[in-house]
Amino acid sequence: MTVVEQGDDLIVVDAGLSFPSDDMHGVDIVIPDISYLEENQDRIRAIILTHGHEDHVGSLPYVLSRIKAPVFGSRLTIELAKRKLLERFTEKELDLRVMDGTFRVGSFEIEPIHVTHSLPDSYAFAIRTDIGIILFTGDFKFDFTPIDGRLTDMSRFGELGDEGIALLLSDSTNSEMPGWSPSEFIVSDGFRRVFENAPGRVLITTFASNLHRMQQAFNIAAESGRKVAIAGRRMEQTVNIARSLHIIDIKDDVLIKLEDCSLYEDNEIVILTTGSQGEPLAALNRMANEEYPRMQIQPGDTVVYSARPIPGNEAAIWQTVNRLFRQGATVVYGRDANVHVSGHGYAEELKMMINLTRPQYIAPVHGEPRHQDRYVRLAKQMGYENENIIILENGSQLVLEEDGAYLANRVPCGRVLVDSSGYAGVSDELLRDRRNLANDGVVFVNVVVDSDAARIVGQPDIVTKGVVAADGEVDRLRGTLMDLLAGLSRAELKDFPSIHQQISDITRKFLKKELNKRPLVVASIVDV
């Protein structure tokens, strides 16, 4: 998510989400902290979307529940966003607008420029401001044999370069990859080899939004006389949306229902399925766990992984792959199989974008620090000096003026964690408790007090979960707590908050010293 502001006007480019790291226990997605937008609600003129991938539109339901603004995007982008938004809003509550050429919002003039990516209907944005053009590339590559025949509009980028671009904000995801990215078209050859050699059913797992990949599966299936079924609600919805917009072309006799696969021989079937990232509830993962009611993996199946693992998902993916092998399936994956290519341009394509647009300033975005660093090296190879290359971090505020640019004070920013309940705002404290539970377990200490008689009833009851303790250590902890309680006066035995605090502190110190662990300690005082 990037904010562009000029005078009293503010626009937002994209509203994406990211996925949690391994230590974010119980967190499903990570969305941006939009407190800055909330503080400037009356200045927001629009949210504009480059394309419909989750890392560019996924936080819209949360954003639009806090602020109100019209949302602009291509036909497909708007329809994909609407699918998510209608789970939370009514259509009357939304202001979704399909872009039709250059349009104005507030003091900005915004020109969409078509780019090739792994999702159709993807666009860069040239935003005209008082000091010149701000160009967002969005996610792009230069694919000269795209599946839908729509090339990146290189000539328009060149014309904008002639006009003069003040700032280029460029995708940097694949800056570490030398040369040119392979065309999406080569995946057809990979699919063709798999279809020809597979003795039984072919299952292809990819992102639910990867329509170019799915189009190739339909095309090669038609060539080889196979029928195609879909497993996964999101993928079914995406295909239905794309068909209604005539973005994907499927012959009527090729697409069948998953339940009708039994009417055909196994070597006549292709199944498109969700679950390329090892998602627990996705169709493929449930098949691997033998929990998917609509179908089961069987010996002779060939499963094609047509996606690159998102960092952090590798363990879940390999776990699924291993389970598929155990069930007798053959799994096809890896670069040499030619069943996946990236939708992001490699180093030479990033340099081509710089050559076409010739911006005054460059800022690599949509990448990790290592990608930004490599992009900086590419820009320097092309003659750009340090003062014309800007590294932006979350919260950076870049000010462009006619006579220069500088980084001003940072604005409030950060991450908001969303768990499976859909609740946005898992706190750091809650995350720390979950981390402690996962790493060190939990210890419950229950003490019974007769406040009238000012005495302890029995001994402390200690229950451990997920804590490995040697024989006798729990008894020694109980003895330590008894020593503490025996030394309390009658007045102190009636001060329950103080007892609770002392029990918690003593327990934590004991466990840290004796076990070198920091389990979550839950103490309770019961008055009888």
Side-chain angles (χ1 to χ4, degrees):
M1 173 183 284
T2 309
V3 173
V4 183
E5 51 186 299
Q6 174 174 257
D8 291 330
D9 298 327
L10 180 156
I11 58 175
V12 180
V13 181
D14 287 337
L17 57 77
S18 63
F19 296 99
S21 57
D22 289 340
D23 63 345
M24 295 181 183
H25 302 288
V27 174
D28 282 5
I29 60 172
V30 182
I31 61 175
D33 179 347
I34 62 166
S35 56
Y36 184 78
L37 296 183
E38 292 178 287
E39 293 168 4
N40 293 275
Q41 163 73 68
D42 59 338
R43 300 172 54 214
I44 301 173
R45 305 295 176 243
I47 299 172
I48 59 177
L49 306 174
T50 57
H51 64 289
H53 277 150
E54 287 288 274
D55 56 336
H56 293 260
V57 305
S59 69
L60 269 180
Y62 305 95
V63 173
L64 293 180
S65 67
R66 308 286 289 275
I67 66 171
K68 301 301 179 186
V71 179
F72 291 82
S74 66
R75 291 183 308 153
L76 178 61
T77 301
I78 290 298
E79 287 301 320
L80 292 175
K82 183 191 293 186
R83 177 186 67 186
K84 293 178 65 68
L85 290 167
L86 290 180
E87 296 174 358
R88 181 171 296 203
F89 303 95
T90 65
E91 197 153 358
K92 289 183 179 179
E93 294 176 295
L94 301 171
D95 186 357
L96 305 178
R97 307 182 190 184
V98 175
M99 302 180 302
D100 184 16
T102 300
F103 59 100
R104 293 195 67 89
V105 286
S107 59
F108 298 102
E109 181 180 276
I110 302 166
E111 179 185 351
I113 306 151
H114 183 264
V115 294
T116 51
H117 185 43
S118 54
L119 184 69
D121 253 8
S122 296
Y123 286 87
F125 288 125
I127 303 174
R128 286 178 171 78
T129 70
D130 293 342
I131 56 91
I133 296 172
I134 310 299
L135 178 61
F136 285 82
T137 68
D139 293 356
F140 80 96
K141 65 187 292 184
F142 290 115
D143 191 339
F144 299 107
T145 53
I147 300 305
D148 59 3
R150 298 187 66 195
L151 298 167
T152 292
D153 195 347
M154 296 175 67
S155 61
R156 187 57 189 147
F157 282 120
E159 291 168 355
L160 290 169
D162 292 339
E163 185 178 337
I165 291 176
L167 172 66
L168 171 67
L169 294 118
S170 174
D171 179 11
S172 64
T173 307
N174 272 338
S175 59
E176 295 178 316
M177 302 296 292
W180 296 75
S181 63
S183 170
E184 177 69 28
F185 191 74
I186 73 165
V187 174
S188 290
D189 292 334
F191 282 177
R192 193 174 284 111
R193 282 193 296 274
V194 172
F195 288 15
E196 289 173 354
N197 296 321
R201 301 181 302 183
V202 175
L203 289 80
I204 300 175
T205 182
T206 188
F207 288 105
S209 59
N210 198 337
L211 288 166
H212 288 323
R213 197 65 45 82
M214 289 187 272
Q215 179 69 77
Q216 292 180 90
F218 283 113
N219 292 346
I220 306 305
E223 279 181 25
S224 59
R226 289 180 181 256
K227 307 297 182 183
V228 180
I230 300 174
R233 184 172 64 92
R234 287 293 187 193
M235 190 172 279
E236 287 183 283
Q237 291 176 338
T238 301
V239 169
N240 289 336
I241 289 171
R243 291 189 84 183
S244 69
L245 298 176
H246 305 290
I247 287 174
I248 193 170
D249 180 26
I250 306 172
K251 294 182 178 179
D252 292 337
D253 62 343
V254 172
L255 182 62
I256 63 172
K257 294 180 179 179
L258 189 62
E259 290 73 21
D260 292 339
C261 287
S262 60
L263 302 176
Y264 301 88
E265 298 294 329
D266 286 348
N267 61 4
E268 296 178 319
I269 294 296
V270 174
I271 298 167
L272 295 172
T273 177
T274 55
S276 65
Q277 300 302 307
E279 305 96 314
L281 299 180
L284 182 64
N285 192 64
R286 295 178 67 193
M287 293 178 206
N289 291 326
E290 301 182 58
E291 297 173 348
Y292 192 60
R294 301 177 67 189
M295 68 167 285
Q296 298 293 319
I297 297 295
Q298 60 191 31
D301 285 346
T302 300
V303 181
V304 178
Y305 264 80
S306 189
R308 183 171 67 180
I310 294 173
N313 292 346
E314 293 90 349
I317 292 171
W318 292 126
Q319 186 178 56
T320 301
V321 168
N322 288 330
R323 286 172 176 163
L324 293 170
F325 273 118
R326 289 193 191 102
Q327 293 181 48
T330 297
V331 185
V332 178
Y333 57 89
R335 185 177 300 176
D336 294 341
N338 282 339
V339 292
H340 173 69
V341 297
S342 176
H344 300 265
Y346 287 11
E348 293 303 313
E349 289 154 276
L350 300 179
K351 289 160 68 176
M352 172 68 82
M353 180 62 77
I354 295 173
N355 265 327
L356 288 170
T357 56
R358 306 179 300 284
Q360 182 179 1
Y361 294 100
I362 296 178
V365 294
H366 204 281
E368 299 173 19
R370 60 192 174 95
H371 302 131
Q372 292 177 303
D373 180 77
R374 185 58 62 91
Y375 189 100
V376 168
R377 296 189 216 173
L378 295 177
K380 287 182 177 179
Q381 290 173 12
M382 302 179 68
Y384 278 83
E385 303 293 339
N386 284 331
E387 56 265 29
N388 297 103
I389 305 172
I390 301 160
I391 297 296
L392 299 176
E393 300 175 345
N394 288 338
S396 293
Q397 183 176 194
L398 172 62
V399 179
L400 293 173
E401 297 177 339
E402 290 186 1
D403 56 353
Y406 62 92
L407 290 171
N409 294 333
R410 297 172 64 84
V411 301
C413 74
R415 65 187 187 188
V416 175
L417 309 181
V418 182
D419 65 14
S420 57
S421 69
Y423 172 73
V426 177
S427 66
D428 287 341
E429 182 181 6
L430 180 57
L431 200 61
R432 185 176 62 252
D433 285 347
R434 290 178 178 178
R435 192 177 299 123
N436 288 344
L437 281 168
N439 294 334
D440 297 328
V442 60
V443 175
F444 299 93
V445 180
N446 303 305
V447 174
V448 179
V449 178
D450 182 344
S451 60
D452 291 336
R455 66 183 182 89
I456 302 297
V457 179
Q459 295 186 345
D461 180 40
I462 301 173
V463 178
T464 65
K465 296 293 183 182
V467 178
V468 178
D471 290 343
E473 285 179 339
V474 171
D475 289 337
R476 287 199 294 119
L477 171 59
R478 185 179 291 108
T480 300
L481 293 174
M482 284 298 294
D483 291 342
L484 164 70
L485 296 169
L488 298 178
S489 66
R490 292 177 62 86
E492 289 172 326
L493 284 172
K494 295 184 178 183
D495 186 354
F496 284 10
S498 176
I499 298 175
H500 182 280
Q501 185 64 50
Q502 291 183 70
I503 289 173
S504 299
D505 290 344
I506 288 290
T507 302
R508 290 191 187 94
K509 290 176 182 177
F510 179 92
L511 295 170
K512 178 66 175 91
K513 179 180 179 181
E514 300 297 327
L515 305 180
N516 197 29
K517 294 288 185 181
R518 299 180 184 273
L520 183 66
V521 175
V522 180
S524 63
I525 312 298
V526 179
D527 185 8
V528 295

